[in-house]
Short mmCIF file of all heavy atoms in Angstrom, two decimals:
data_model
loop_
_atom_site.label_atom_id
_atom_site.label_comp_id
_atom_site.label_asym_id
_atom_site.label_seq_id
_atom_site.Cartn_x
_atom_site.Cartn_y
_atom_site.Cartn_z
N ALA F 611 55.79 -1.14 -2.51
CA ALA F 611 55.10 -0.59 -3.68
C ALA F 611 55.56 0.84 -3.97
O ALA F 611 55.78 1.22 -5.12
CB ALA F 611 53.60 -0.64 -3.47
N CYS F 612 55.71 1.63 -2.92
CA CYS F 612 56.20 3.01 -3.09
C CYS F 612 57.59 2.99 -3.72
O CYS F 612 57.87 3.75 -4.66
CB CYS F 612 56.26 3.72 -1.73
SG CYS F 612 54.66 4.13 -1.02
N ALA F 613 58.45 2.12 -3.21
CA ALA F 613 59.82 2.03 -3.73
C ALA F 613 59.82 1.60 -5.20
O ALA F 613 60.58 2.14 -6.01
CB ALA F 613 60.63 1.05 -2.89
N GLN F 614 58.95 0.65 -5.55
CA GLN F 614 58.90 0.18 -6.93
C GLN F 614 58.43 1.29 -7.88
O GLN F 614 59.01 1.50 -8.95
CB GLN F 614 57.96 -1.01 -7.06
CG GLN F 614 57.87 -1.54 -8.49
CD GLN F 614 56.98 -2.76 -8.62
OE1 GLN F 614 56.08 -2.95 -7.82
NE2 GLN F 614 57.22 -3.58 -9.63
N LEU F 615 57.40 2.04 -7.48
CA LEU F 615 56.90 3.11 -8.33
C LEU F 615 57.93 4.22 -8.50
O LEU F 615 58.10 4.77 -9.59
CB LEU F 615 55.60 3.67 -7.75
CG LEU F 615 54.38 2.75 -7.87
CD1 LEU F 615 53.21 3.28 -7.03
CD2 LEU F 615 53.95 2.61 -9.32
N MET F 616 58.64 4.54 -7.41
CA MET F 616 59.68 5.57 -7.52
C MET F 616 60.83 5.11 -8.42
O MET F 616 61.45 5.91 -9.12
CB MET F 616 60.20 5.95 -6.13
CG MET F 616 59.24 6.83 -5.35
SD MET F 616 59.95 7.47 -3.81
CE MET F 616 59.69 6.08 -2.71
N ARG F 617 61.09 3.82 -8.38
CA ARG F 617 62.19 3.27 -9.18
C ARG F 617 61.82 3.17 -10.66
O ARG F 617 62.63 3.45 -11.54
CB ARG F 617 62.57 1.88 -8.65
CG ARG F 617 63.75 1.24 -9.38
CD ARG F 617 64.09 -0.10 -8.79
NE ARG F 617 63.01 -1.07 -8.93
CZ ARG F 617 62.31 -1.56 -7.91
NH1 ARG F 617 62.56 -1.19 -6.67
NH2 ARG F 617 61.33 -2.44 -8.12
N ASP F 618 60.57 2.77 -10.94
CA ASP F 618 60.19 2.42 -12.31
C ASP F 618 59.47 3.53 -13.07
O ASP F 618 59.39 3.46 -14.31
CB ASP F 618 59.29 1.18 -12.29
CG ASP F 618 60.01 -0.06 -11.82
OD1 ASP F 618 61.25 0.00 -11.65
OD2 ASP F 618 59.35 -1.10 -11.60
N VAL F 619 58.92 4.51 -12.37
CA VAL F 619 58.12 5.55 -13.04
C VAL F 619 58.89 6.87 -12.96
O VAL F 619 59.33 7.27 -11.88
CB VAL F 619 56.73 5.70 -12.37
CG1 VAL F 619 55.95 6.83 -13.02
CG2 VAL F 619 55.96 4.39 -12.44
N SER F 620 59.03 7.53 -14.08
CA SER F 620 59.69 8.83 -14.09
C SER F 620 58.66 9.94 -13.90
O SER F 620 57.49 9.78 -14.26
CB SER F 620 60.45 9.04 -15.41
OG SER F 620 59.55 8.97 -16.50
N GLY F 621 59.09 11.04 -13.32
CA GLY F 621 58.18 12.16 -13.09
C GLY F 621 57.18 11.86 -11.98
O GLY F 621 57.38 10.98 -11.15
N THR F 622 56.09 12.61 -11.98
CA THR F 622 55.03 12.42 -10.97
C THR F 622 54.33 11.09 -11.19
O THR F 622 53.96 10.74 -12.32
CB THR F 622 54.01 13.56 -11.04
OG1 THR F 622 54.68 14.80 -10.79
CG2 THR F 622 52.91 13.37 -10.00
N VAL F 623 54.12 10.33 -10.12
CA VAL F 623 53.38 9.07 -10.21
C VAL F 623 51.89 9.40 -10.24
O VAL F 623 51.36 10.04 -9.34
CB VAL F 623 53.71 8.16 -9.01
CG1 VAL F 623 52.83 6.91 -9.04
CG2 VAL F 623 55.19 7.77 -9.03
N GLU F 624 51.21 8.96 -11.30
CA GLU F 624 49.79 9.23 -11.49
C GLU F 624 48.98 7.96 -11.23
O GLU F 624 49.54 6.87 -11.12
CB GLU F 624 49.52 9.74 -12.91
CG GLU F 624 50.28 11.00 -13.28
CD GLU F 624 49.71 12.24 -12.61
OE1 GLU F 624 48.70 12.14 -11.89
OE2 GLU F 624 50.30 13.33 -12.82
N VAL F 625 47.67 8.13 -11.16
CA VAL F 625 46.80 7.00 -10.80
C VAL F 625 46.89 5.89 -11.84
O VAL F 625 46.80 4.70 -11.51
CB VAL F 625 45.35 7.48 -10.59
CG1 VAL F 625 44.70 7.90 -11.90
CG2 VAL F 625 44.52 6.39 -9.91
N GLU F 626 47.10 6.26 -13.13
CA GLU F 626 47.19 5.20 -14.14
C GLU F 626 48.45 4.37 -13.95
O GLU F 626 48.48 3.19 -14.31
CB GLU F 626 47.13 5.79 -15.55
CG GLU F 626 48.28 6.72 -15.90
CD GLU F 626 47.90 8.17 -15.71
OE1 GLU F 626 47.19 8.46 -14.73
OE2 GLU F 626 48.31 9.00 -16.54
N ASP F 627 49.50 4.96 -13.37
CA ASP F 627 50.71 4.19 -13.07
C ASP F 627 50.42 3.13 -12.00
O ASP F 627 50.88 1.99 -12.09
CB ASP F 627 51.83 5.11 -12.58
CG ASP F 627 52.26 6.13 -13.63
OD1 ASP F 627 52.43 5.72 -14.79
OD2 ASP F 627 52.39 7.31 -13.28
N VAL F 628 49.65 3.54 -11.00
CA VAL F 628 49.27 2.58 -9.95
C VAL F 628 48.43 1.46 -10.54
O VAL F 628 48.64 0.28 -10.23
CB VAL F 628 48.50 3.31 -8.82
CG1 VAL F 628 48.03 2.30 -7.77
CG2 VAL F 628 49.38 4.37 -8.17
N HIS F 629 47.50 1.82 -11.42
CA HIS F 629 46.66 0.79 -12.03
C HIS F 629 47.48 -0.14 -12.92
O HIS F 629 47.21 -1.34 -12.99
CB HIS F 629 45.55 1.44 -12.85
CG HIS F 629 44.49 2.07 -12.02
ND1 HIS F 629 43.50 2.88 -12.54
CD2 HIS F 629 44.24 2.01 -10.70
CE1 HIS F 629 42.71 3.29 -11.56
NE2 HIS F 629 43.14 2.78 -10.44
N THR F 630 48.51 0.40 -13.57
CA THR F 630 49.37 -0.43 -14.41
C THR F 630 50.07 -1.52 -13.59
O THR F 630 50.15 -2.68 -14.00
CB THR F 630 50.43 0.42 -15.13
OG1 THR F 630 49.77 1.34 -16.00
CG2 THR F 630 51.39 -0.44 -15.93
N TYR F 631 50.56 -1.14 -12.42
CA TYR F 631 51.32 -2.07 -11.59
C TYR F 631 50.44 -2.91 -10.67
O TYR F 631 50.77 -4.07 -10.37
CB TYR F 631 52.35 -1.30 -10.74
CG TYR F 631 53.56 -0.88 -11.52
CD1 TYR F 631 53.56 0.30 -12.26
CD2 TYR F 631 54.71 -1.65 -11.52
CE1 TYR F 631 54.68 0.69 -12.99
CE2 TYR F 631 55.84 -1.27 -12.25
CZ TYR F 631 55.81 -0.10 -12.99
OH TYR F 631 56.91 0.28 -13.71
N TYR F 632 49.33 -2.34 -10.21
CA TYR F 632 48.53 -3.02 -9.18
C TYR F 632 47.06 -3.11 -9.54
O TYR F 632 46.22 -3.30 -8.66
CB TYR F 632 48.71 -2.31 -7.83
CG TYR F 632 50.15 -2.22 -7.41
CD1 TYR F 632 50.86 -1.03 -7.51
CD2 TYR F 632 50.83 -3.35 -6.95
CE1 TYR F 632 52.19 -0.95 -7.16
CE2 TYR F 632 52.16 -3.29 -6.59
CZ TYR F 632 52.84 -2.09 -6.70
OH TYR F 632 54.17 -2.03 -6.36
N GLY F 633 46.74 -2.98 -10.83
CA GLY F 633 45.34 -2.94 -11.25
C GLY F 633 44.58 -4.22 -11.04
O GLY F 633 43.35 -4.22 -11.04
N GLU F 634 45.29 -5.33 -10.86
CA GLU F 634 44.59 -6.60 -10.66
C GLU F 634 44.23 -6.85 -9.20
O GLU F 634 43.57 -7.84 -8.89
CB GLU F 634 45.46 -7.76 -11.17
CG GLU F 634 45.72 -7.70 -12.67
CD GLU F 634 44.45 -7.63 -13.49
OE1 GLU F 634 43.53 -8.43 -13.22
OE2 GLU F 634 44.36 -6.78 -14.38
N ARG F 635 44.67 -5.97 -8.31
CA ARG F 635 44.34 -6.17 -6.90
C ARG F 635 42.86 -5.92 -6.70
O ARG F 635 42.29 -4.95 -7.22
CB ARG F 635 45.14 -5.21 -6.01
CG ARG F 635 46.64 -5.35 -6.15
CD ARG F 635 47.11 -6.74 -5.71
NE ARG F 635 48.55 -6.83 -5.74
CZ ARG F 635 49.33 -6.66 -4.68
NH1 ARG F 635 48.80 -6.41 -3.50
NH2 ARG F 635 50.64 -6.74 -4.80
N VAL F 636 42.22 -6.75 -5.89
CA VAL F 636 40.78 -6.60 -5.67
C VAL F 636 40.47 -5.24 -5.05
O VAL F 636 39.41 -4.66 -5.29
CB VAL F 636 40.24 -7.74 -4.78
CG1 VAL F 636 40.81 -7.67 -3.37
CG2 VAL F 636 38.72 -7.70 -4.70
N GLU F 637 41.39 -4.68 -4.28
CA GLU F 637 41.12 -3.42 -3.62
C GLU F 637 40.92 -2.28 -4.61
O GLU F 637 40.22 -1.31 -4.33
CB GLU F 637 42.26 -3.06 -2.65
CG GLU F 637 42.35 -3.95 -1.41
CD GLU F 637 43.18 -5.20 -1.66
OE1 GLU F 637 43.45 -5.52 -2.83
OE2 GLU F 637 43.54 -5.87 -0.67
N THR F 638 41.58 -2.35 -5.78
CA THR F 638 41.45 -1.26 -6.74
C THR F 638 40.05 -1.20 -7.33
O THR F 638 39.73 -0.26 -8.05
CB THR F 638 42.47 -1.40 -7.87
OG1 THR F 638 42.27 -2.65 -8.54
CG2 THR F 638 43.89 -1.31 -7.37
N THR F 639 39.21 -2.19 -7.06
CA THR F 639 37.84 -2.12 -7.55
C THR F 639 37.08 -0.97 -6.91
O THR F 639 36.00 -0.63 -7.36
CB THR F 639 37.09 -3.44 -7.28
OG1 THR F 639 37.16 -3.75 -5.90
CG2 THR F 639 37.67 -4.57 -8.09
N GLY F 640 37.64 -0.34 -5.87
CA GLY F 640 36.99 0.85 -5.32
C GLY F 640 36.82 1.91 -6.39
O GLY F 640 35.76 2.56 -6.47
N PHE F 641 37.82 2.09 -7.24
CA PHE F 641 37.71 3.06 -8.32
C PHE F 641 36.71 2.57 -9.37
O PHE F 641 35.94 3.36 -9.93
CB PHE F 641 39.08 3.28 -8.97
CG PHE F 641 39.93 4.26 -8.23
CD1 PHE F 641 40.72 3.86 -7.18
CD2 PHE F 641 39.92 5.61 -8.56
CE1 PHE F 641 41.50 4.76 -6.47
CE2 PHE F 641 40.69 6.52 -7.87
CZ PHE F 641 41.49 6.11 -6.81
N LYS F 642 36.70 1.28 -9.63
CA LYS F 642 35.77 0.74 -10.63
C LYS F 642 34.33 0.83 -10.13
O LYS F 642 33.41 1.07 -10.93
CB LYS F 642 36.14 -0.71 -10.95
CG LYS F 642 37.51 -0.84 -11.60
CD LYS F 642 37.91 -2.30 -11.79
CE LYS F 642 39.32 -2.41 -12.34
NZ LYS F 642 39.78 -3.82 -12.44
N VAL F 643 34.14 0.64 -8.82
CA VAL F 643 32.80 0.81 -8.25
C VAL F 643 32.32 2.23 -8.46
O VAL F 643 31.18 2.47 -8.89
CB VAL F 643 32.80 0.47 -6.74
CG1 VAL F 643 31.49 0.90 -6.10
CG2 VAL F 643 33.02 -1.02 -6.51
N ALA F 644 33.19 3.20 -8.19
CA ALA F 644 32.82 4.61 -8.35
C ALA F 644 32.50 4.92 -9.80
O ALA F 644 31.51 5.61 -10.10
CB ALA F 644 33.94 5.50 -7.84
N GLU F 645 33.31 4.41 -10.74
CA GLU F 645 33.07 4.67 -12.15
C GLU F 645 31.72 4.11 -12.59
O GLU F 645 30.96 4.77 -13.31
CB GLU F 645 34.19 4.06 -12.98
CG GLU F 645 35.54 4.77 -12.82
CD GLU F 645 36.68 4.01 -13.46
OE1 GLU F 645 36.41 2.97 -14.11
OE2 GLU F 645 37.84 4.42 -13.30
N ALA F 646 31.40 2.88 -12.16
CA ALA F 646 30.13 2.27 -12.54
C ALA F 646 28.95 3.02 -11.92
O ALA F 646 27.92 3.24 -12.58
CB ALA F 646 30.11 0.80 -12.11
N ALA F 647 29.09 3.43 -10.66
CA ALA F 647 28.01 4.14 -9.99
C ALA F 647 27.72 5.48 -10.66
O ALA F 647 26.57 5.84 -10.92
CB ALA F 647 28.35 4.36 -8.51
N LEU F 648 28.79 6.22 -10.98
CA LEU F 648 28.60 7.54 -11.61
C LEU F 648 28.09 7.41 -13.04
O LEU F 648 27.53 8.36 -13.59
CB LEU F 648 29.90 8.32 -11.58
CG LEU F 648 30.36 8.76 -10.18
CD1 LEU F 648 31.73 9.41 -10.24
CD2 LEU F 648 29.36 9.72 -9.57
N ALA F 649 28.27 6.24 -13.63
CA ALA F 649 27.72 5.98 -14.96
C ALA F 649 26.30 5.46 -14.89
O ALA F 649 25.65 5.27 -15.93
CB ALA F 649 28.60 4.99 -15.72
N GLY F 650 25.80 5.21 -13.68
CA GLY F 650 24.43 4.69 -13.52
C GLY F 650 24.30 3.21 -13.78
O GLY F 650 23.19 2.70 -13.92
N ASP F 651 25.43 2.49 -13.84
CA ASP F 651 25.40 1.05 -14.12
C ASP F 651 25.24 0.30 -12.80
O ASP F 651 26.20 -0.18 -12.19
CB ASP F 651 26.70 0.65 -14.82
CG ASP F 651 26.69 -0.79 -15.32
OD1 ASP F 651 25.79 -1.55 -14.91
OD2 ASP F 651 27.59 -1.15 -16.09
N GLU F 652 23.99 0.18 -12.36
CA GLU F 652 23.71 -0.38 -11.04
C GLU F 652 24.17 -1.83 -10.93
O GLU F 652 24.73 -2.24 -9.92
CB GLU F 652 22.21 -0.28 -10.75
CG GLU F 652 21.81 -0.77 -9.37
CD GLU F 652 20.34 -0.50 -9.07
OE1 GLU F 652 19.82 0.53 -9.55
OE2 GLU F 652 19.73 -1.31 -8.35
N ARG F 653 23.93 -2.62 -11.97
CA ARG F 653 24.27 -4.04 -11.92
C ARG F 653 25.78 -4.24 -11.75
O ARG F 653 26.23 -5.01 -10.90
CB ARG F 653 23.79 -4.73 -13.19
CG ARG F 653 23.99 -6.22 -13.22
CD ARG F 653 23.33 -6.82 -14.44
NE ARG F 653 23.45 -8.27 -14.48
CZ ARG F 653 22.91 -9.04 -15.41
NH1 ARG F 653 22.20 -8.48 -16.38
NH2 ARG F 653 23.07 -10.34 -15.38
N THR F 654 26.57 -3.51 -12.55
CA THR F 654 28.03 -3.64 -12.46
C THR F 654 28.54 -3.10 -11.14
O THR F 654 29.41 -3.72 -10.50
CB THR F 654 28.70 -2.88 -13.62
OG1 THR F 654 28.27 -3.46 -14.86
CG2 THR F 654 30.22 -2.97 -13.53
N ALA F 655 28.04 -1.95 -10.71
CA ALA F 655 28.49 -1.35 -9.45
C ALA F 655 28.23 -2.28 -8.28
O ALA F 655 29.08 -2.46 -7.41
CB ALA F 655 27.80 -0.01 -9.24
N ALA F 656 27.02 -2.88 -8.24
CA ALA F 656 26.68 -3.78 -7.13
C ALA F 656 27.55 -5.02 -7.14
O ALA F 656 28.01 -5.49 -6.08
CB ALA F 656 25.20 -4.16 -7.21
N SER F 657 27.81 -5.56 -8.34
CA SER F 657 28.64 -6.76 -8.44
C SER F 657 30.07 -6.48 -8.00
O SER F 657 30.66 -7.24 -7.22
CB SER F 657 28.62 -7.27 -9.88
OG SER F 657 29.51 -8.37 -10.04
N LEU F 658 30.63 -5.37 -8.47
CA LEU F 658 31.99 -5.00 -8.08
C LEU F 658 32.09 -4.73 -6.59
O LEU F 658 33.08 -5.09 -5.93
CB LEU F 658 32.44 -3.76 -8.86
CG LEU F 658 32.76 -3.96 -10.34
CD1 LEU F 658 32.91 -2.61 -11.03
CD2 LEU F 658 34.01 -4.79 -10.52
N LEU F 659 31.06 -4.09 -6.05
CA LEU F 659 31.07 -3.78 -4.61
C LEU F 659 31.06 -5.05 -3.78
O LEU F 659 31.81 -5.18 -2.81
CB LEU F 659 29.88 -2.89 -4.27
CG LEU F 659 29.79 -2.42 -2.82
CD1 LEU F 659 31.00 -1.58 -2.45
CD2 LEU F 659 28.51 -1.63 -2.60
N ARG F 660 30.21 -6.01 -4.16
CA ARG F 660 30.18 -7.29 -3.41
C ARG F 660 31.53 -7.99 -3.50
O ARG F 660 32.02 -8.54 -2.52
CB ARG F 660 29.07 -8.19 -3.96
CG ARG F 660 27.67 -7.80 -3.52
CD ARG F 660 26.66 -8.91 -3.82
NE ARG F 660 26.53 -9.12 -5.26
CZ ARG F 660 25.68 -8.47 -6.04
NH1 ARG F 660 24.88 -7.55 -5.52
NH2 ARG F 660 25.62 -8.73 -7.33
N HIS F 661 32.12 -7.96 -4.69
CA HIS F 661 33.44 -8.58 -4.87
C HIS F 661 34.48 -7.90 -3.97
O HIS F 661 35.30 -8.57 -3.33
CB HIS F 661 33.85 -8.44 -6.34
CG HIS F 661 35.15 -9.10 -6.68
ND1 HIS F 661 35.43 -10.41 -6.39
CD2 HIS F 661 36.27 -8.61 -7.28
CE1 HIS F 661 36.65 -10.72 -6.80
NE2 HIS F 661 37.18 -9.63 -7.34
N ALA F 662 34.43 -6.58 -3.92
CA ALA F 662 35.38 -5.85 -3.08
C ALA F 662 35.18 -6.17 -1.62
O ALA F 662 36.14 -6.38 -0.86
CB ALA F 662 35.23 -4.34 -3.32
N MET F 663 33.93 -6.20 -1.17
CA MET F 663 33.64 -6.48 0.24
C MET F 663 34.06 -7.90 0.60
O MET F 663 34.63 -8.14 1.67
CB MET F 663 32.14 -6.29 0.52
CG MET F 663 31.65 -4.87 0.38
SD MET F 663 32.46 -3.74 1.53
CE MET F 663 31.56 -2.25 1.16
#
Side-chain angles (χ1 to χ4, degrees):
C612 289
Q614 180 178 26
L615 288 169
M616 285 188 277
R617 183 179 63 247
D618 294 351
V619 178
S620 59
T622 300
V623 174
E624 302 286 357
V625 70
E626 63 263 39
D627 298 314
V628 176
H629 287 170
T630 297
Y631 282 84
Y632 303 104
E634 297 305 312
R635 301 297 185 97
V636 66
E637 290 87 345
T638 59
T639 55
F641 278 86
K642 296 175 184 175
V643 169
E645 290 170 5
L648 291 175
D651 188 347
E652 183 173 326
R653 184 173 183 177
T654 299
S657 175
L658 288 169
L659 183 61
R660 283 193 296 271
H661 183 54
M663 294 298 184

